[in-house]
Structures are given as structure tokens and as C-alpha cells.
Amino acid sequence: MLILKTVAALRRFRARARGKVVLVPTMGALHAGHADLIARARKLAGKSGTVIVSIFVNPTQFGPKEDLSRYPRPFAADAKLCKTLGTDAILHPYPEEIYPTGFSTYVNEEQVSSGLCGASRPGHFRGVCTVVLKLFTICQPDVAVFGLKDYQQCRVIARMVRDLNIPLKLVFAPTIRERDGLALSSRNVYLSTEERAQAPALRRGLLTAQAAFGTGERSAAKLRRMVEKEIRKASLSRVDYIEVVDGESLTATRTVKAGDTIALAVYFGRTRLIDNIQLAEPRRR
Ligand code: AMP
């Protein structure tokens, strides 16, 4: 496995790469959720293909008061995990490789990114789109793999890929969770013991709404209130947003249908957790 720190080195690697090239973009601090994406990438690439994992804590997607400087960066452990999972190359660029002095070109998706996390984190998706497009042009993957835990990010990237005719296939993978339902996240390490104990309330709230949808509830407002009620039982929680939206456009829905999504962001102390569920009809036996 190669560890490449410059765009030039990655380009040389890419020029020699054989078979299908599959990219997994990450910010590092890898956990079982990332591991699942990398294992999927390995499968998609096959024996003859090439898996690239990028590890880059992207400064442009953090707001001025967010956790950029304290974001965990355990690179040695990350590299070890990548190697175990059959990664061919890690792109771990110096920040100035990605953002040279005088950098002044950004990508702005203007619809799907406007609500939810886009509303509470102004500029976040501009940073995400910019770095992801750069990773695409640098690595030129045939396939890129993202996690549905960041549901809005998936939809925004899908829109960017369509709008800008980027020639690759996107694969979105389901969320990997702790046994108690908490979605794995690099930010979970910030939680105190008490906050960690309460954090599964997010998943419980979403499952309560899914159960009600399964038995016929179609009012978005009612489903939203059920989620909120469950989360408010966690005394340390502070709701940023809970919204019921169309699964594709992410616009608010009043009467829900299968495929609509409940997305939420909740603070525990200074730590902001996100989660979502795509509402599905219960399976008939
Ligand atoms: P991050 O390092 O947080 O930028 O995430 C890198 C990729 O891993 C993104 O596509 C995320 O959606 C995905 N990811 C993060 N957490 C999980 C999880 N619990 N399950 C599956 N994928 C995840």
C-alpha cells in the first residue's frame, strides 16, 4: 500500500492503475463505518482493480467556530486499517496541495444543500463539493463510495455529479451503528460518558417514527413530533433540527410517502451528531 502526499504522486499512481478505480473519500479517524466503505470498494474494484482511500481533514467544510483544530487525526492507525482492508493507495495530502496560496475557485450546489445541515452550517457543502470535485479530478475514479449516514451529503454530491457531467458511478452504503443504535462517527469520541449513554435517543426517535409510518401514520408534523419527544427524553440533548423531507430533493413534506427521509442534527454539549432514516413500507410476510 502506498501513502501519497502530493497531487503529482497520485497522478503518477493513477496513470499506472489497472482495472476499475474506486475512491473512498474520508477525513480519517477511521471506524467500522469507514471500514465497511473500504471493504465495499475492494469488492467493487475486484482483484484486478484499484482502491484509493483519501484521508484529508478538509478545512473549507468547517465553520469558524467548529472543531477543525481538535478533529482527531490518528493517521498511523488509519493507515494500518486501510492496509488490512486491501487498500492500494492512501491519498493523504498536505493542505497546501489541495488549497495552494491564492485558491479562489469553489463549487456551489444551490438547492439540495440549502436546508438541513446546509442551513445550520453555512458554507459547509460549498467546502464539501469543492474538495470532493477536486478528489474526483485528481483521482479520476470509476466509482466513488459514500455513506448514507451523511444523507444530505450523498444527495448534494449526486446532484453535483449529474449537473457537472462527472463521469463516474456513485455508490451509497448504509449506516454502520453501535449495538445500541448510535451511528458510528469520528465525533463520538468527544462525548462524555453521560452524553454517550443518552446518544442512542436519536436512533430510538427515528425508529419510533418508522414504526408509526409502518402502521399508517402519514402526517409529517406528527412523525416529527414523535422523534422530538423521544430525543427530548435525553436531558443532555439540544435539538438543532429535525425535518421530514423528500428523499431526493430534500424539500419539506407534509404528507409522507415511502422514500421520504427524516433527518436530524442534535447537540450533546459541543458535539453535534447527525442521523437519518428513509421511511419504508413494512415488509409483507
Ligand atoms: P468522514 O470521514 O466523516 O468525512 O466520512 C467519510 C465517509 O464515511 C462518508 O462518506 C461518510 O458518510 C461515511 N461514514 C461516516 N460514518 C459512517 C457510518 N457510521 N456508516 C457508514 N458510513 C459512514
Side-chain angles (χ1 to χ4, degrees), residues 3-285:
I3 295 171
L4 307 172
K5 293 189 163 282
T6 65
V7 172
L10 193 289
R11 285 211 191 281
R12 282 195 295 275
F13 173 80
R14 177 65 183 91
R16 291 192 315 267
R18 292 174 176 277
K20 199 184 270 184
V21 174
V22 185
L23 171 68
V24 183
T26 82
M27 297 207 299
L30 303 181
H31 49 62
H34 299 110
D36 181 71
L37 302 189
I38 299 168
R40 270 171 206 275
R42 185 68 269 167
K43 265 201 194 127
L44 287 162
K47 266 195 191 148
S48 57
T50 302
V51 173
I52 304 174
V53 175
S54 63
I55 297 183
F56 180 61
V57 183
N58 174 36
T60 61
Q61 71 188 69
F62 287 78
K65 291 186 184 146
E66 292 181 1
D67 56 345
L68 172 63
S69 61
R70 68 171 186 145
Y71 199 85
R73 291 167 170 84
F75 182 73
D78 287 350
K80 205 171 155 192
L81 179 66
C82 287
K83 194 170 177 193
T84 315
L85 294 164
T87 302
D88 296 295
I90 296 179
L91 172 62
H92 184 48
Y94 301 111
E96 56 274 22
E97 280 286 312
I98 301 298
Y99 296 111
T101 308
F103 185 89
S104 57
T105 308
Y106 293 88
V107 182
N108 245 333
E109 192 288 325
E110 298 185 346
Q111 280 179 15
V112 190
S113 62
S114 60
L116 309 176
C117 288
S120 22
R121 302 181 71 188
H124 171 67
F125 286 114
R126 173 185 187 252
V128 169
C129 285
T130 302
V131 81
V132 168
L133 181 62
K134 282 176 68 78
L135 292 169
F136 287 171
T137 53
I138 294 166
C139 301
Q140 299 185 24
D142 300 296
V143 182
V145 186
F146 293 88
L148 285 167
K149 200 212 90 184
D150 298 273
Y151 188 76
Q152 187 176 18
Q153 174 168 282
C154 291
R155 299 298 358 139
V156 170
I157 290 169
R159 182 63 66 91
M160 174 180 81
V161 163
R162 189 203 68 173
D163 287 354
L164 301 183
N165 305 97
I166 304 171
L168 55 77
K169 183 176 168 221
L170 293 172
V171 169
F172 299 135
T175 303
I176 304 296
R177 300 176 180 280
E178 302 279 8
R179 287 169 77 96
D180 61 11
L182 176 64
L184 293 184
S185 163
S186 307
R187 292 190 165 98
N188 291 353
V189 296
Y190 302 150
L191 297 170
S192 70
T193 312
E194 294 78 9
E195 290 165 350
R196 173 64 190 82
Q198 293 190 9
L202 275 57
R203 176 68 169 167
R204 272 202 300 278
L206 292 170
L207 289 178
T208 305
Q210 166 60 54
F213 177 77
T215 54
E217 182 56 67
R218 292 293 179 267
S219 156
K222 281 191 185 156
L223 292 176
R224 190 197 167 284
R225 273 200 296 277
M226 284 175 202
V227 179
E228 186 170 17
K229 190 175 162 203
E230 201 56 43
I231 291 175
R232 289 213 187 280
K233 288 182 194 164
S235 58
L236 300 171
S237 69
R238 186 166 54 83
V239 172
D240 179 8
Y241 69 78
I242 302 168
E243 287 189 40
V244 188
V245 295
D246 177 88
E248 185 113 352
S249 67
L250 305 191
T251 50
T253 34
R254 292 177 69 166
T255 307
V256 287
K257 59 189 180 307
D260 286 353
T261 298
I262 308 181
L264 53 80
V266 175
Y267 282 97
F268 282 89
R270 283 168 63 201
T271 308
R272 186 171 173 280
L273 302 179
I274 58 171
D275 205 343
N276 66 82
I277 199 165
Q278 265 204 295
L279 296 170
E281 299 288 1
R283 284 202 200 123
R284 288 181 206 284
R285 286 171 188 256

